[in-house]
Amino acid sequence: MLHSRWFKTAGAAAALTLATATAAYATPAPAPAPDLTAAAVTLRYDDSRAAGWEAAIAAGVANWNASVSNVQLVEAAPGTRAEIQIIATTGWPQATLGPVRPGGTARVELGSLAVTEGHDKTRIAAHELGHSLGLPDTKPGPCTQLMSGSTGGTTCKNATPNATERSRVQSLYAGGFASLVPADGRVLVDAP
């Protein structure tokens, strides 16, 4: 009986030693990889005060939505809050410099003075939305740069952001809402 108790005690001690040694040298299971794909930031716009610009706004929005994946622009339902207020004015186009955050506020003014001088409405709308997404002017610049604005000339119809502009917006909205810095808040007037 003394032997059986000794074997039980020795067996238990050996098992405990083996378990401790195994735990000390075992490699922990790898942690699951973090989800690096954040959902796109959705920004709503209200163009109910931009009569005569609806087609240009829709085309400008479509160009941005087709060009970037980290942020998407959607028309706000009537009576709901929108981060980007778009209005028609008689002056020069201007906009708040973003990047606007969900729940934030940006204003885009689509000025008819630029159209009177011969500038393309869709380019104007896409350019001003680019400001709300955080892009400053790149004046002077060629027509291939959407953010060159009026310096692209009155014959310029390009309303699509180039690779650099797309990359900058992707970077500004990378990681979703949590990574966004507050909007600059400056108003950029796009007079020549």
Side-chain angles (χ1 to χ4, degrees):
M1 185 154 182
L2 193 55
H3 282 70
S4 86
R5 184 181 277 174
W6 181 86
F7 281 122
K8 284 183 183 176
T9 304
L16 181 59
T17 302
L18 182 59
T20 304
T22 303
Y25 293 103
T27 302
D35 181 14
L36 298 177
T37 57
V41 172
T42 300
L43 298 174
R44 295 173 307 268
Y45 67 90
D46 175 3
D47 65 355
S48 63
R49 295 183 294 158
W53 287 85
E54 296 87 352
I57 294 166
V61 164
N63 288 350
W64 275 110
N65 286 345
S67 297
V68 295
S69 60
N70 288 344
V71 61
Q72 292 292 287
L73 303 170
V74 297
E75 188 170 5
T80 63
R81 188 183 183 294
E83 287 85 6
I84 303 171
Q85 296 293 319
I86 306 173
I87 64 168
T89 69
T90 57
W92 272 96
Q94 58 185 357
T96 308
L97 180 60
V100 67
R101 302 176 103 171
T105 303
R107 181 178 168 107
V108 168
E109 295 184 12
L110 301 175
S112 62
L113 189 54
V115 177
T116 301
E117 290 201 7
H119 294 281
D120 182 70
K121 282 178 123 177
T122 301
R123 179 172 168 83
I124 293 168
H127 173 91
E128 299 306 325
L129 287 167
H131 286 318
S132 296
L133 296 175
L135 298 179
D137 287 316
T138 55
K139 294 180 179 183
C143 180
T144 56
Q145 292 177 341
L146 175 61
M147 300 314 293
S148 69
S150 61
T151 63
T154 56
T155 59
C156 180
K157 307 291 184 216
N158 174 39
T160 304
N162 68 19
T164 302
E165 294 162 334
R166 292 189 303 268
S167 177
R168 179 69 181 137
V169 170
Q170 285 287 97
S171 170
L172 289 170
Y173 288 91
F177 173 73
S179 69
L180 289 176
V181 296
D184 183 293
R186 289 182 291 153
V187 174
L188 302 177
V189 179
D190 288 307

